[in-house]
């Protein structure tokens, strides 16, 4: 029996993949586009305003569509050239060592991941096991402080730092993607709850939801990291 | 009337007028005023009524320490008027007085109630007849208290914002020492947070008019990057976590090093009438004059045990208050006495105050020489009695952190002796009193904190050495302090040791007489130190009274345990945000739209039904139904040893399961008890798809992981519970519906019962499991959660012509009960074994491998259980409560009903129950005792619906 059922890819044009926060995003005024089979909140009316919010206060973006692959095998993290507690940017994906024998790859293309995965590694598509958000902006650390006890100060969590941690009382994972930019993962089923928690904290601090397109002007640090890798 | 000319350090803006009301009367204030300073300036002297005796109480500490000025602000009780700043339009009301603050009926207890209200009176009186206790309780609660909470709070009005903040160094206290510590640590590169209770840092420096010094320290600290949290109260010390309450925010501060610079707390003197409005601590009187330009009185008498009172007398004189006399308990008053004498103010050495007289406020004070027996008493007309009974270190946080204390005879208080490694005291709290000394103390603490973090250099090390040397020198030059009598003047009236709880020195004596002769026992019996001041004003006086009356030394009496919270705090602040983590399936929105009755099911929100549970169940039996079962636990077990791994975990076999086939499994504990169940589908030679119960998903994943780590097998375990949606399509028309959404041949020949297959449903890749929890031909369809609504909608659309209905958890429970399918946790408990639960067939004791619980199950096989799980039907249509007792012939409890429902398709009441093994046979009659009703049922061991499973397999 095939393992295809784990994957968020369909063969039908009308079978559009949806994130668990779609309804909350819609209620906040999101405009959607289908991209790569996903119905994505690309903006909330003005990508420029959203990008500004991401530069000046904080913006949160639903990025649950990012591919997530779990790699398992003895010493897989080391064999993949990963260092514990640090995410490595490779092929537009974050390679995150969770334990010596387990790693999570966020983003990128499955083929590239499988190519880089050490031989004999089990690779399972867990894209919809985890929802994800990107929190961007100078206030993003303060937003996290409202619902997460992780120490995200630069000296403890530098850029590319990785923290498996409780987020709003739920198991989660935080990757510091850039100076003021964090990618965080949490269970797919708590998406609605997590949106509420983030919205509650961020709005209070002047933040707002932002569409995927608002992230485009802010991609430079990630692109740099990818190119370095 | 009592406003002074502009004061150098005043905090009010005389150009900005504010109006608020106090008990309905309009009061004018300046911006920057506190409620207390504004009311005092307006002539108000009584601010509250005391807890028990309803005595008048007025401003005393002006620092938020004592309970005397507690009021309700905009309906919220517990505010301290002396520190709460005025806002335009705010509504301030008194608490604990009726009908008014001025005329309080309950003040009769002061005159007449003393005999009836000794300490612990509520243990002795008001207890008979017992049936009247609720009435007594209501009366007593009404008579005492600190205000009333509103019955209804608008939603989220008390919402607290939690803010977690990590830091290298946390400094608590923003006086000279605290600011110096923060500055020193930050200048060496530490990430420093400073917390101060006041509206702005500065501590005593502000009241002493040293604004320039404060500005300089503050500016340097800020320039060094110190984050300053003003108006923040550190509530306690919890293994390095310090919660700080600031308005509607609770900061949770975690630092690697802590500097506690909380200063000292000036102590009152215990004498007759020491609670009268007009009796004020010296710091309080100074603060009122210096910060708010309010004249605390026109004619004052000062009683002190140290230079603190003498300096206050000078300051008051300079503010225009006539100082009638100063009683210094010391036989040789300190240096400031010379200044007082020069100013023409009489200083009485070895004198103290024995009584404050007055009706509504102080009108006279009586001073006596301490060594005489009343001779030489002097009476002074005055409206202000300024007292200073020394100062105690504000050491609660240090003590909570693990610091130790000893009684310091010289200064008459308990002083810090040692602190834990990561915590250090600075400034007055550790005895560094003089300004320059306090600053050095703070600087040293900051440097040491930085050095401990690996910061600093040889220069800072040398600086620290020099500071240590200077502090050692300063230790020899501390100003002398006299130890006041425990209480004096009891023959003239009540001498309060504890203002919060109205505990007098006499009350403590009574408690000792009754056997509560340790400070901890007396605390619990009299409630001394248990009020809003949390012992700040009363702990040392209580210890002194106890020492005096028991003949022990103060060191032997000791102190009570320092416990959080250090300041009184609204419960809502501790409650935090109302985050309620809820898991929702990706189809959840649809359930809402379809009218689902959504309730909690474990940590999930689930549709229990869609308004018609019995109709929904009937629809499954007669046509088709669709239920969201995404909450099931789902584990992917892969690897060369996957089959062997499952064989070790389950009592039955899985290594011999053919790919594409499904088998039911029960997980048992080491003790052979049922802990979970589910189905396992073998996907290929090395891959198994394991489902668990919804509530057991997390525990099973942990259980598997734990054993996997122990056994070290070549197995990869992945929890995909939240990653996959799952729906169960069931009913006689299910196959026809499937034909409309998939190309897969779903005929019984091609897709048999307990087969697992891959197929596209409405274009989405799915795993199809042909299983039948609800007793009909059924397809459990698992697929990526990204397509939850798409697949759900497609199935409902396809099934519309066949009469499909969505069904919820409640109809599912009816349907599974018809099949006698157990619900783990509902029909089983921690003692249930597969043998007792009528599933001996699932235990394969002949398995080659060992497995979890094998030893125990071998034992249970030899000794049949005393009770068995069976089905039963009711003859009278009564639906027994789940949990109802099954009794034996003698009426003795012998089992219990675990599930019971009315089955619409069977048109009778059915259930499951644990019954004595002897009754576990078809037709046996059982007696059920349920909430006073006794009724009969009849045992059935085979499923009520489709007993031979023909429907399932068709």
């Amino acid at each position: 029996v095939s393992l295809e059922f784990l994957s968020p890819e369909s063969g039908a044009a009308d079978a559009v993949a949806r994130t668990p926060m779609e309804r909350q995003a819609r209620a906040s005024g999101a405009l959607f586009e289908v991209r790569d089979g996903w119905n994505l909140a690309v903006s909330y009316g003005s990508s420029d305003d959203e990008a500004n919010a991401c530069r000046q206060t904080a913006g949160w973006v639903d990025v649950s569509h990012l591919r997530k692959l779990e790699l398992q095998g003895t010493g897989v993290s080391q064999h993949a050239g990963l260092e514990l507690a640090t995410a490595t940017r490779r092929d537009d994906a974050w390679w995150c060592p969770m334990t010596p024998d387990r790693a999570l790859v966020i983003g990128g293309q499955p083929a590239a991941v499988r190519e880089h995965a050490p031989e004999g590694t089990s690779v399972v598509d867990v894209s919809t096991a985890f929802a994800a958000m990107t929190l961007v902006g100078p206030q993003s650390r303060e937003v996290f402080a409202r619902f997460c006890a992780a120490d995200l100060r630069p000296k403890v969590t530098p850029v590319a730092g990785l923290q498996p941690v409780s987020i709003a009382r739920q198991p989660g994972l935080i990757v510091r993607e850039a100076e003021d930019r964090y990618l965080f993962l949490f269970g797919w089923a708590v998406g609605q709850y997590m949106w509420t928690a983030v919205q509650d904290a961020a709005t209070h601090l002047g933040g707002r939801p932002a569409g995927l397109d608002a992230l485009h002007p802010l991609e430079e640090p990630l692109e740099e990291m990818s190119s370095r890798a | 009337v009592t406003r002074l000319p502009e004061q150098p350090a005043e905090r009010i803006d005389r150009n900005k007028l504010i109006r608020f009301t106090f008990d309905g009367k309009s009061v004018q204030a300046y911006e920057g005023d506190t409620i207390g300073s504004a009311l005092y300036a307006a002539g108000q002297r009584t601010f509250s009524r005391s807890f028990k005796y309803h005595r008048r109480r007025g401003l005393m500490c002006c620092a938020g320490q004592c309970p005397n000025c507690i009021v309700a602000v905009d309906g919220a009780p517990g505010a301290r008027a002396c520190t709460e700043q005025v806002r335009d339009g705010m509504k301030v009301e008194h608490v604990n007085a009726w009908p008014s603050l001025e005329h309080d009926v309950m003040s009769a207890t002061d005159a007449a109630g003393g005999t009836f209200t000794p300490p612990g009176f509520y243990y002795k009186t008001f207890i008979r007849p017992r049936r009247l206790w609720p009435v007594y309780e209501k009366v007593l609660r009404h008579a005492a208290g600190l205000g009333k909470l509103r019955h209804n709070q608008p939603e989220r009005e008390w919402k607290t914002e939690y803010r977690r903040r990590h830091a290298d160094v946390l400094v608590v206290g923003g006086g000279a020492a605290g600011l110096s510590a923060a500055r020193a640590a930050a200048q060496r590169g530490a990430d420093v947070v400073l917390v101060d209770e006041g509206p702005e840092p500065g501590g005593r420096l502000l009241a002493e008019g040293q604004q320039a010094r404060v500005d300089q320290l503050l500016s340097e600290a800020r320039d060094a990057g110190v984050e300053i949290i003003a108006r923040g109260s550190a509530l306690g010390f919890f293994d390095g976590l310090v919660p700080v309450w600031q308005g509607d925010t609770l900061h949770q501060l975690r630092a690697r090093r802590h500097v506690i610079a909380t200063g000292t707390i000036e102590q009152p003197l215990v004498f007759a009438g020491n609670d009268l409005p007009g009796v004020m601590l010296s710091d309080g009187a100074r603060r009122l004059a210096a910060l708010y330009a309010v004249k605390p009185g026109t004619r004052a008498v000062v009683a002190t045990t140290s230079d603190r009172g003498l300096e206050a007398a000078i300051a008051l004189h300079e503010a225009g208050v006539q100082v009638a006399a100063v009683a210094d308990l010391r036989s040789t008053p300190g240096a400031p006495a010379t200044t007082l004498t020069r100013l023409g103010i009489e200083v009485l050495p070895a004198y103290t105050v024995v009584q404050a007289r007055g009706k509504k406020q102080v009108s006279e004070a009586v001073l006596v020489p301490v060594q005489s027996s009343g001779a030489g008493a002097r009476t002074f007309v005055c409206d202000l009695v300024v007292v200073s009974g020394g100062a105690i270190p504000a050491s609660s946080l240090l003590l909570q952190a693990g610091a130790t204390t000893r009684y310091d005879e010289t200064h008459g208080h308990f002083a810090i002796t040692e602190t834990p490694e990561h915590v250090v005291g600075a400034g007055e709290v550790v005895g560094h009193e003089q300004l320059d000394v306090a600053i050095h103390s703070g600087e040293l603490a900051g440097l040491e904190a930085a050095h401990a973090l690996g910061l600093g250099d040889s220069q800072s090390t040398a600086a620290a050495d020099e500071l240590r040397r200077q502090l050692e020198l300063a230790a020899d030059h501390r100003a002398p302090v006299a130890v006041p009598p425990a209480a004096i003047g009891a023959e003239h009236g009540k001498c309060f040791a504890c203002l919060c709880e109205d505990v007098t020195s006499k009350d403590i004596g009574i408690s000792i007489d009754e056997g509560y002769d340790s400070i901890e026992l007396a605390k619990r019996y009299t409630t001394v130190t248990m009020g809003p001041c949390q012992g700040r004003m009363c702990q040392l006086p209580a210890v002194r009274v106890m020492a005096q009356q028991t003949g022990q030394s103060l060191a032997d009496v000791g102190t009570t345990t320092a416990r959080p919270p250090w300041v009184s705090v609204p419960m809502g602040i501790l409650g935090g945000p109302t985050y309620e983590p809820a898991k929702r399936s990706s189809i959840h929105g649809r359930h809402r739209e379809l009218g689902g009755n959504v309730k909690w099911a474990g940590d999930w929100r689930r549709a229990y039904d869609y308004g018609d549970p019995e109709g929904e169940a009937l629809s499954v039996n007669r046509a088709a139904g669709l239920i969201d079962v995404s909450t099931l636990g789902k584990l992917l077990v892969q690897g060369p040893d996957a089959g062997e791994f499952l064989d070790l975990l389950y009592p039955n076999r899985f290594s011999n399961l053919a790919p594409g086939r499904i088998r039911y499994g029960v997980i048992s504990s080491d003790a052979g008890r049922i802990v979970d169940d589910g189905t396992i589908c073998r996907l290929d030679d090395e891959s198994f798809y394991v489902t668990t119960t919804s509530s057991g998903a997390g525990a099973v994943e942990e259980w598997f992981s734990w054993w996997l780590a122990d056994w070290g097998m070549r197995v990869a375990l992945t929890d995909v519970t939240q990653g996959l949606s799952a729906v169960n399509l069931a009913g006689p028309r299910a196959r026809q519906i499937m034909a409309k959404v998939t190309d897969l041949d779903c005929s019984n020949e091609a897709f048999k019962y307990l087969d697992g297959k891959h197929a596209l449903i409405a274009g989405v890749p799915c795993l199809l499991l042909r299983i039948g929890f609800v007793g009909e031909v059924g397809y459990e369809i698992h697929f990526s959660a990204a397509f939850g609504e798409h697949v759900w909608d497609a199935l409902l659309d396809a099934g519309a012509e066949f009469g499909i209905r969505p069904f919820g958890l409640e109809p599912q429970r009816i349907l599974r009960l018809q099949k006698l399918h157990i619900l783990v946790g509902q029909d089983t408990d921690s003692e249930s074994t597969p043998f007792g639960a009528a599933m001996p067939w699932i235990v394969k004791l002949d398995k080659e491998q060992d497995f979890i619980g094998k030893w125990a199950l071998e034992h249970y096989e030899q000794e049949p259980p005393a009770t068995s799980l069976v089905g039963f039907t009711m003859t009278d249509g009564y639906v027994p409560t789940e949990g109802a007792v099954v009794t034996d012939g003698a009426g003795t409890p012998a089992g219990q009903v675990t599930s019971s429902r009315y089955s619409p398709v069977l048109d009778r009441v059915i259930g499951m129950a644990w019954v004595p093994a002897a009754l576990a046979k078809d037709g046996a009659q059982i007696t059920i005792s349920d909430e006073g009703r006794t009724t009969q049922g009849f045992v059935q061991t085979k499923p009520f619906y489709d007993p031979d499973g023909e429907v399932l397999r068709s």
Side-chain angles (χ1 to χ4, degrees):
Chain A
V1 180
S2 162
L3 291 175
E4 280 179 53
F5 69 101
L6 298 170
S7 163
E9 285 178 355
S10 79
D14 64 332
V16 177
R18 298 177 191 280
T19 81
M21 293 171 275
E22 185 182 297
R23 285 169 182 262
Q24 283 65 47
R26 181 169 288 117
S28 297
L31 304 175
F32 291 89
E33 275 182 24
V34 175
R35 294 180 184 171
D36 296 329
W38 285 88
N39 194 40
L40 300 175
V42 294
S43 88
Y44 289 78
S46 167
S47 294
D48 288 345
D49 289 351
E50 294 153 35
N52 281 340
C54 293
R55 286 193 189 93
Q56 288 161 12
T57 53
W60 71 94
V61 186
D62 178 2
V63 292
S64 301
H65 63 286
L66 290 175
R67 180 75 68 165
K68 297 127 204 153
L69 298 177
E70 185 184 68
L71 276 52
Q72 283 196 66
T74 306
V76 68
S77 294
Q78 189 187 354
H79 293 146
L82 306 177
E83 193 181 321
L84 288 179
T86 301
T88 298
R89 189 78 179 164
R90 190 183 287 164
D91 299 326
D92 294 330
W94 285 110
W95 288 61
C96 307
M98 308 303 293
T99 70
D101 300 333
R102 187 190 293 249
L104 192 65
V105 183
I106 309 164
Q109 295 303 316
V113 174
R114 288 178 202 279
E115 189 182 320
H116 281 98
E119 204 177 322
T121 300
S122 155
V123 181
V124 176
D125 192 327
V126 290
S127 296
T128 52
F130 301 101
M133 273 197 242
T134 298
L135 192 52
V136 201
Q139 288 289 329
S140 49
R141 193 144 60 90
E142 279 298 320
V143 174
F144 269 116
R146 267 60 187 175
F147 51 77
C148 177
D151 188 350
L152 298 177
R153 292 177 299 154
K155 63 171 72 176
V156 177
T157 312
V159 172
L162 172 71
Q163 287 228 29
V165 69
S166 168
I167 305 174
R169 302 179 189 169
Q170 288 295 300
L173 173 73
I174 298 175
V175 178
R176 184 170 198 164
E177 293 188 289
E179 197 58 38
D180 287 331
R181 176 170 170 159
Y182 301 85
L183 169 68
F184 63 106
L185 271 60
F186 42 90
W188 193 268
V190 295
Q192 181 179 329
Y193 158 73
M194 195 62 74
W195 176 282
T196 308
V198 173
Q199 182 180 42
D200 194 41
T203 308
H204 187 69
L205 294 167
R208 57 169 293 176
L212 272 178
D213 289 349
L215 287 179
H216 289 158
L218 308 167
E219 297 291 357
E220 199 176 325
L222 300 188
E223 286 163 6
E224 263 180 38
M225 270 186 273
S226 283
S227 62
R228 278 205 303 273
Chain B
V1 177
T2 53
R3 284 287 182 190
L4 296 166
E6 190 170 335
Q7 300 295 299
E10 70 180 29
R11 288 291 177 273
I12 53 172
D13 184 342
R14 294 174 188 250
N15 297 316
K16 291 183 181 170
L17 288 178
I18 281 176
R19 296 204 81 85
F20 67 99
T21 62
F22 179 61
D23 285 346
K25 292 178 189 166
S26 180
V27 182
Q28 183 175 290
Y30 293 124
E31 189 172 284
D33 256 326
T34 63
I35 296 169
S37 64
L39 286 175
Y40 205 90
Q44 185 74 33
R45 292 296 177 267
T46 301
F47 280 69
S48 68
R49 290 283 181 162
S50 69
F51 186 76
K52 189 161 90 175
Y53 297 120
H54 289 250
R55 290 165 66 98
R56 291 173 182 273
R57 294 280 163 82
L59 289 184
M60 187 175 201
C61 70
C62 296
Q65 313 276 19
C66 77
N68 280 12
C69 63
I70 288 179
V71 292
V73 175
D74 295 332
R80 282 180 161 91
C82 68
T83 52
E84 185 88 14
Q85 285 203 314
V86 291
R87 297 186 310 274
D88 208 24
M90 76 194 313
K91 191 177 167 191
V92 182
E93 293 167 299
H94 76 268
V95 297
N96 202 33
W98 185 85
S100 69
L101 185 59
E102 199 55 32
H103 304 285
D104 181 8
V105 169
M106 289 302 291
S107 63
T109 54
D110 186 31
T115 313
F116 304 104
T117 55
F121 70 90
Y122 32 81
Y123 299 130
K124 305 168 187 166
T125 55
F126 301 106
I127 56 173
R128 291 191 183 85
R130 292 183 66 149
R131 67 177 185 281
L132 282 183
W133 168 246
V135 178
Y136 298 147
E137 187 183 30
K138 199 171 178 181
V139 171
L140 291 172
R141 283 188 186 280
H142 182 73
L146 300 164
K148 288 180 181 172
L149 288 171
R150 280 175 290 186
H151 285 294
N152 296 307
Q153 298 284 349
E155 193 183 3
R156 298 173 79 78
E157 183 186 357
W158 281 82
K159 181 195 166 199
T160 307
E161 181 147 305
Y162 272 15
R163 176 190 181 234
R164 286 86 177 170
R165 172 71 157 95
H166 294 263
D168 293 336
V169 181
L170 169 63
V171 179
V172 182
L179 282 168
S180 303
R183 178 189 59 177
Q187 285 175 341
R188 268 75 193 174
D191 174 22
V192 182
V193 175
L194 181 142
V195 174
D196 189 67
E197 284 186 334
E200 57 191 312
R204 281 185 64 197
L205 288 177
L206 295 175
E208 291 170 2
Q210 304 206 43
Q211 185 66 48
R213 197 75 182 257
V214 173
D215 290 344
Q216 185 194 349
L217 284 168
L218 202 51
S219 162
E220 288 172 359
R222 284 196 170 118
D223 289 347
V226 176
E227 178 187 336
I228 293 172
I229 298 175
R231 294 185 186 283
S233 301
L235 301 178
F237 192 102
F238 300 87
D239 288 336
L241 169 68
V242 178
V244 173
W245 169 35
Q246 183 197 37
D248 59 1
T249 300
L250 188 76
H251 302 263
Q252 295 180 345
L253 291 159
R254 291 172 202 270
R256 296 168 67 191
R257 289 288 183 279
H258 297 82
V259 177
I260 308 298
T262 39
T264 55
I265 301 165
E266 190 173 31
Q267 296 295 286
L269 294 170
V270 182
F271 57 91
N274 63 339
D275 64 330
L276 261 180
V279 176
M280 202 176 283
L281 292 177
S282 76
D283 283 359
R286 290 186 72 175
R287 208 170 276 121
L288 206 53
L291 302 182
Y292 308 106
V294 174
K295 196 174 177 180
T298 54
R299 192 163 195 267
V301 165
V302 178
T304 184
T305 61
S306 68
D307 287 355
R308 203 165 183 148
L310 302 182
E311 288 159 0
I314 297 169
L316 290 173
H317 172 81
E318 289 171 352
V321 178
Q322 183 190 355
V323 180
V326 177
D328 190 329
L329 192 60
R330 298 168 293 184
S331 52
T332 308
T338 312
T339 309
L340 286 168
T341 305
R342 184 165 45 78
L343 293 170
I345 297 170
E346 186 179 13
V347 178
L348 301 169
Y351 264 69
T352 192
V353 58
V354 69
Q355 185 183 13
R357 295 174 184 156
K359 194 175 177 189
K360 293 184 177 180
Q361 67 178 88
V362 168
S363 57
E364 283 183 344
V366 183
L367 306 180
V368 295
V370 282
Q371 298 300 336
S372 79
S373 54
R378 303 270 304 271
T379 301
F380 296 88
V381 173
C382 59
D383 60 356
L384 178 66
V385 176
V386 174
V387 296
S388 181
I392 61 165
S395 55
S396 184
L397 291 178
L398 282 168
L399 295 173
Q400 288 176 39
T404 54
T405 59
R406 67 168 172 75
Y407 185 68
D408 178 350
E409 297 279 356
T410 312
H411 296 92
H413 62 223
F414 289 86
I416 296 292
T417 50
E418 284 180 31
T419 58
E421 188 188 347
H422 303 287
V423 183
V424 62
E428 282 189 284
V429 72
V430 287
H432 300 143
E433 293 163 1
Q434 301 304 316
L435 178 58
D436 288 340
V437 178
I439 288 174
H440 290 161
S441 172
E443 281 178 351
L444 178 60
L447 287 177
E448 286 180 339
H451 292 160
L453 296 168
L455 304 168
D457 52 21
S458 57
Q459 201 179 350
S460 66
T461 307
D465 289 341
E466 173 58 21
L467 288 166
R468 276 187 209 99
R469 195 184 65 80
Q470 292 186 23
L471 287 174
E472 279 170 21
L473 288 173
D476 300 330
H477 294 90
R478 292 180 66 187
V481 174
V483 178
I488 187 166
E491 64 277 17
H492 302 299
K494 292 187 174 81
C495 305
F496 287 94
C498 174
L499 295 166
C500 297
E501 303 285 289
D502 268 355
V503 180
T504 63
S505 56
K506 189 177 166 189
D507 290 335
I508 294 174
I510 292 170
S511 95
I512 293 166
D513 291 345
E514 294 185 11
Y516 301 98
D517 55 359
S518 82
I519 189 66
E520 290 285 8
L521 288 175
K523 167 184 169 178
R524 284 151 181 79
Y525 191 56
T526 64
T527 68
V528 66
T529 77
M530 289 168 71
C533 91
Q534 285 291 285
R536 292 180 186 214
M537 314 297 288
C538 55
Q539 186 180 71
L540 189 56
V543 170
R544 282 183 183 141
V545 172
M546 176 146 283
Q548 182 196 52
Q549 299 199 14
T550 60
Q552 298 178 85
S553 68
L554 271 79
D556 287 341
V557 172
T559 61
T560 56
T561 305
R563 291 190 175 89
W566 169 231
V567 297
S568 31
V569 58
M571 292 291 283
I573 293 293
L574 304 178
T578 52
Y579 292 144
E580 195 169 34
K583 289 179 181 166
R584 294 175 175 86
S585 92
S586 57
I587 314 168
H588 184 82
R590 282 288 185 272
H591 302 322
R592 289 280 190 191
E593 287 160 0
L594 289 166
N597 177 22
V598 175
K599 295 181 183 177
W600 284 101
D603 47 3
W604 291 84
R605 300 289 287 163
R606 293 194 70 177
Y608 264 59
D609 58 60
Y610 297 85
D612 178 20
E614 289 179 4
E616 292 161 30
L618 211 50
S619 174
V620 175
N621 287 133
R622 293 186 175 160
L626 186 67
I627 182 171
D628 181 358
V629 291
S630 303
T631 58
L632 288 172
K634 308 172 202 82
L635 301 171
L636 195 63
V637 181
Q638 288 185 291
D641 298 336
E644 188 188 347
F645 177 64
L646 295 174
D647 282 348
L648 286 165
L649 286 166
Y650 287 83
N652 52 344
R653 288 189 187 85
F654 289 95
S655 55
N656 66 353
L657 185 65
R661 291 291 290 165
I662 299 165
R663 191 168 285 162
Y664 175 69
V666 166
I667 299 174
S668 67
S669 66
D670 295 303
R673 266 63 172 213
I674 296 171
V675 293
D676 206 84
D677 71 347
T679 58
I680 292 96
C681 176
R682 187 166 202 163
L683 303 176
D684 57 38
D685 283 347
E686 294 190 356
S687 303
F688 291 82
Y689 183 68
V690 177
T691 65
T692 75
T693 62
S694 299
S695 57
V700 171
E701 194 272 336
E702 278 181 27
W703 181 248
F704 278 27
S705 298
W706 195 88
W707 283 111
L708 183 56
D710 187 49
W711 293 333
M713 302 173 84
R714 293 172 299 165
V715 172
L717 177 68
T718 306
D719 184 352
V720 289
T721 300
Q722 297 186 46
L724 297 176
S725 290
V727 297
N728 185 13
L729 172 68
R733 314 301 291 272
R735 188 170 285 125
Q736 290 164 281
I737 296 168
M738 288 295 284
K740 290 185 67 178
V741 293
T742 180
D743 293 334
L744 183 75
D745 181 357
C746 289
S747 68
N748 198 33
E749 294 72 30
F751 195 177
K752 299 187 296 294
Y753 181 60
L754 296 182
D755 270 355
K757 288 186 182 295
H758 171 264
L760 292 178
I761 302 283
V764 173
C766 296
L767 172 66
L768 274 56
L769 307 176
R770 195 168 154 209
I771 50 181
F773 187 56
V774 294
E776 295 290 348
V777 169
Y779 302 91
E780 202 169 276
I781 305 165
H782 295 242
F783 51 97
S784 168
F787 301 115
E789 291 184 0
H790 174 78
V791 173
W792 174 269
D793 291 346
L795 288 166
L796 281 187
D797 287 348
E801 65 178 286
F802 303 105
I804 193 172
R805 289 178 72 175
F807 67 103
L809 207 51
E810 175 56 24
Q812 186 196 44
R813 286 182 174 174
I814 298 172
L815 292 161
R816 68 91 199 175
L817 190 56
Q818 292 170 175
K819 287 292 294 177
L820 283 186
H821 287 155
I822 66 163
L823 280 181
V824 172
Q826 170 82 25
D827 301 306
T828 65
D829 59 24
S830 60
E831 297 297 304
S832 305
T833 70
F835 295 106
M839 292 191 289
W841 45 269
I842 208 161
V843 181
K844 307 298 182 190
L845 291 172
D846 59 343
K847 235 174 28 170
E848 305 75 36
Q849 299 98 327
D850 196 3
F851 60 88
I852 304 291
K854 184 177 183 182
W855 178 89
L857 288 168
E858 283 173 340
H859 168 77
Y860 293 131
E861 190 200 30
Q862 298 304 316
E863 290 190 22
T867 56
S868 293
L869 186 61
V870 297
F872 68 86
T873 58
M874 302 296 289
T875 52
D876 57 1
Y878 177 68
V879 183
T881 310
E882 290 173 345
V885 175
V886 175
T887 59
D888 62 14
T892 307
Q896 77 277 353
V897 173
T898 60
S899 298
S900 54
R901 291 287 189 281
Y902 168 74
S903 163
V905 74
L906 302 169
D907 190 24
R908 58 185 162 142
V909 173
I910 58 174
M912 291 174 84
W914 287 88
V915 301
L919 294 176
K921 54 191 178 191
D922 287 321
Q925 185 172 328
I926 57 172
T927 303
I928 296 170
S929 175
D930 184 15
E931 296 175 351
R933 174 176 180 155
T934 301
T935 184
Q936 307 298 317
F938 292 93
V939 169
Q940 183 166 331
T941 57
K942 292 189 87 175
F944 303 105
Y945 183 80
D946 184 26
D948 297 318
E950 290 167 359
V951 172
L952 274 183
R953 291 178 175 80
S954 63

